Amino acid sequence: MYLKNAWYVAGFSEDFPNGALTTRTYLEVPLVFYRKDDGAVVAMEDRCCHRLAPLSHGQIEGDDLRCMYHGLKFAPSGKCIEIPGQPRIPSSMCVRSYPTAESHGCVWIWMGQPEKASQADIPDNVGPDLPGWSMLPGRLEVNANYMLVADNLLDLSHLSYVHRDSFGPGLVFGQTRPKVERLEKGVRVSRWLLNQPTAKYIREKIDATHLDVWITYDFIAPGLFLLYAEMHEPGAAQKFGEDAPSGVEPLHKEYTSQAVTPESLGKSRYFFSYGSWDRTPGLAEFYRDFSYLAFNEDAEIVSAQQRTIDASPGITMQPTSFDAATLQYRWILERLMRDEGIDGPLIGGGRAESNHVQQAP
Ligand code: FES
Ligand SMILES: [Fe+2]
């Protein structure tokens, strides 16, 4: 099952170069992407309606795409506008075209009802080109269901174990319960980590052995993870209780926007941009390389988890108190799917019947 009426990240702007046909599969739909003369991205089903040849073997002609099997030409809307040697073009001669948008270095695609696609629903704080932040794009393919990748991001207690050699936060993430708040289409998870040893990956940046760290993130359907962190002098957190810091300039701040887009129920594309406010030359590259190191650790454990789930029919997961955000997000996503008329449990655990791979509708 997939949420359809939602904007998914299809890739970074640089993944869709001018003059090239780019193929991707999202929500089990093979797609071909290209750019029009004005740079706007077109996304179509990668299947000619004539004899079902892949349009990705075709040719871009201005704003249009010609199938290079028998020469039918399609407008960006998917409507066939030329059949060589046949003046009459039946209205049924068309391929499905999908709404797209582009912002802050990300290309988005809407896989549901086109009339419901509104660019106003695209969050403004996603992408490597966010003003002010120093970030570069990164991407991984994960052999796991998108909900397992979401679970991984919704419960950062795994940092203490999966990332012991990269982020290296010690056991604090696995022992500090965050505050979880429900949003309209997701959850917000926030916490202070008090008097933490300065993480080794930023020791060169910060002249302090210990820090109070504020971490807050939103996880928003259909799979966006937006995390903001501030590092303060030890003791700063006392003033704020469970609340966000205000009126105090942090020693350091970091932001990451990440997106999970399902290719199929067993494979996901994972996009990330991670960096700091600091524009020191080389820092964006450092964060990108560090992201690959850390997020490959996630990909490895989540893919292994998927293999174990696949080999465990009928075995259920058992939640702990750290699964609060995971369970609340499931509830929200299932509600959004029910609104689309899609019913049934998500995979990946949290409900007794939930850890079986469901067939796509
Ligand atoms: S299959 Fe595309 S034109 Fe024939
Ligand atoms: Fe992780």
Side-chain angles (χ1 to χ4, degrees), residues 152-153 156 158-159 162-163 167 270 294-295 297-298:
N152 172 268
L153 293 164
L156 293 190
H158 76 268
L159 264 79
V162 174
H163 301 305
F167 286 105
Y270 176 36
F295 301 154
E297 295 169 337
D298 292 304

Side-chain angles (χ1 to χ4, degrees), residues 179-333:
K179 182 165 89 173
V180 179
E181 300 163 87
R182 215 170 262 192
L183 308 174
E184 189 196 343
K185 292 186 178 175
V187 292
R188 175 165 297 161
V189 183
S190 313
R191 78 191 100 191
W192 277 102
L193 302 175
L194 305 182
N195 201 30
Q196 291 306 298
T198 305
K200 57 188 175 188
Y201 73 95
I202 50 171
R203 266 180 217 153
E204 284 181 15
K205 297 290 313 165
I206 300 178
D207 185 21
T209 59
H210 288 72
L211 297 165
D212 283 356
V213 183
W214 167 252
I215 297 180
T216 183
Y217 57 90
D218 292 353
F219 197 94
I220 301 168
L224 299 177
F225 174 78
L226 312 171
L227 180 148
Y228 175 69
E230 283 191 359
M231 286 74 168
H232 289 264
E233 298 275 7
Q238 282 176 359
K239 299 190 211 64
F240 303 112
E242 279 195 320
D243 298 330
S246 64
V248 187
E249 192 56 30
L251 297 172
H252 184 67
K253 46 188 176 181
E254 295 183 351
Y255 185 70
T256 179
S257 69
Q258 307 182 10
V260 187
T261 305
E263 278 198 19
S264 64
L265 291 176
K267 188 172 177 194
S268 307
R269 287 207 181 226
Y270 176 36
F271 303 100
F272 47 88
S273 315
Y274 175 31
S276 79
W277 194 256
D278 190 325
R279 293 211 166 262
T280 305
L283 200 59
E285 288 78 5
F286 163 80
Y287 271 97
R288 179 201 52 206
D289 296 347
F290 180 73
S291 301
Y292 273 108
L293 172 72
F295 301 154
N296 266 306
E297 295 169 337
D298 292 304
E300 190 178 329
I301 186 70
V302 172
S303 303
Q305 179 193 19
Q306 180 71 71
R307 290 194 295 275
T308 306
I309 290 171
D310 291 346
S312 311
I315 306 295
T316 57
M317 298 182 184
Q318 302 198 40
T320 72
S321 54
F322 280 89
D323 292 316
T326 308
L327 297 176
Q328 290 199 38
Y329 178 68
R330 277 181 150 55
W331 185 88
I332 289 163
L333 190 57

